[in-house]
Amino acid sequence: EPEVTQTPSHQVTQMGQEVILRCVPISNHLYFYWYRQILGQKVEFLVSFYNNEISEKSEIFDDQFSVERPDGSNFTLKIRSTKLEDSAMYFCASSESSSRETQYFGPGTRLLVL
Amino acid sequence: RKEVEQDPGPFNVPEGATVAFNCTYSNSASQSFFWYRQDCRKEPKLLMSVYSSGNEDGRFTAQLNRASQYISLLIRDSKLSDSATYLCVVASPGGSYIPTFGRGTSLIVHP
């Protein structure tokens, strides 16, 4: 069964450093998403991406965040200057046609900012 | 503020019990509704979509009440493996339907 993969599974970084989280969505999917989940809290939508551009973003997705699809398979989330409060699990998801359809989540990257 | 509210639980039930979760949402323009399951420190996985007419998948039944803006999930004949957190997800129209997650309801099924 096809699945969304994410690397790395864990990342520890110093405050102020840049991190890039990587995702490989399911190959025939057209919509891609990033979510975060702070420990003990709810899953929060960050951004959706379609046709090589951002289609929606939340208030959380400020100027320190960016997304990119650098090639035909990878979908990345960059955090330019990490803060302590960026520590969370970051989930990538993809869906075949739109966010009205089932989204398939990757296993997540646990980011710890020290 | 647009929110999705769930009773956090935990619901602690014996095997074989029937358990029901409710979820309320505040955005009346919401169009799509889902229940996801999340195991500890794992990714959310779709359990079922929720349709206006209600729908059933084996031991799981989902209902939608648009007038009262709530969604329910009924689990019959609970199994130990049903222990997880159940997330209510509501998608509202933006350019591509932005999903809002509830905080989840924790279910513990014991022998």
Side-chain angles (χ1 to χ4, degrees):
Chain A
E1 184 179 321
E3 57 184 21
V4 177
T5 59
Q6 290 185 243
T7 54
S9 59
H10 295 78
Q11 173 119 30
V12 181
T13 190
Q14 296 289 327
M15 192 169 57
Q17 295 296 305
E18 175 183 286
V19 294
I20 297 176
L21 310 183
R22 292 184 167 79
C23 169
V24 179
I26 294 172
S27 62
N28 64 330
H29 285 189
L30 301 178
Y31 287 77
F32 315 118
Y33 315 86
W34 282 102
Y35 296 85
R36 79 170 185 193
Q37 187 174 31
I38 295 169
L39 189 63
Q41 298 191 23
K42 63 181 179 179
V43 176
E44 298 174 291
F45 170 81
L46 292 178
V47 66
S48 60
F49 191 86
Y50 169 71
N51 201 25
N52 282 319
E53 60 183 29
I54 290 173
S55 32
E56 295 287 347
K57 58 182 181 179
S58 70
E59 297 166 350
I60 304 166
F61 194 88
D62 60 23
D63 291 344
Q64 68 159 348
F65 290 93
S66 62
V67 289
E68 198 176 29
R69 187 154 162 84
D71 54 43
S73 59
N74 289 286
F75 178 51
T76 62
L77 175 70
K78 182 192 289 186
I79 309 175
R80 257 181 275 283
S81 177
T82 50
K83 307 189 194 77
L84 296 177
E85 55 264 36
D86 293 328
S87 296
M89 179 74 99
Y90 288 81
F91 292 110
C92 172
S94 69
S95 62
E96 189 169 354
S97 54
S98 79
S99 59
R100 297 186 74 173
E101 304 300 323
T102 302
Q103 294 188 23
Y104 295 86
F105 283 73
T109 293
R110 185 167 296 282
L111 176 66
L112 178 61
V113 183
L114 301 175
Chain B
R1 185 169 175 179
K2 309 292 189 280
E3 291 287 350
V4 175
E5 301 288 341
Q6 294 182 252
D7 180 345
F11 285 61
N12 203 321
V13 303
E15 267 186 295
T18 295
V19 61
F21 307 136
N22 288 326
C23 165
T24 59
Y25 60 95
S26 59
N27 186 354
S28 58
S30 299
Q31 298 280 337
S32 302
F33 310 90
F34 309 90
W35 282 102
Y36 276 75
R37 170 197 169 123
Q38 186 175 31
D39 292 290
C40 187
R41 296 180 180 270
K42 299 285 190 182
E43 72 273 26
K45 291 187 178 177
L46 180 71
L47 182 65
M48 57 200 305
S49 302
V50 186
Y51 304 118
S52 296
S53 55
N55 47 301
E56 188 173 307
D57 182 3
R59 298 181 293 110
F60 300 86
T61 301
Q63 296 279 352
L64 168 63
N65 185 320
R66 284 188 186 271
S68 302
Q69 294 180 203
Y70 80 79
I71 306 143
S72 64
L73 177 68
L74 183 77
I75 305 175
R76 289 181 297 278
D77 188 23
S78 300
K79 311 288 184 197
L80 296 177
S81 56
D82 293 335
S83 298
T85 297
Y86 290 83
L87 309 178
C88 174
V89 182
V90 175
S92 304
S96 60
Y97 286 81
I98 299 171
T100 302
F101 283 70
R103 293 187 67 142
T105 297
S106 176
L107 172 65
I108 302 169
V109 182
H110 59 83

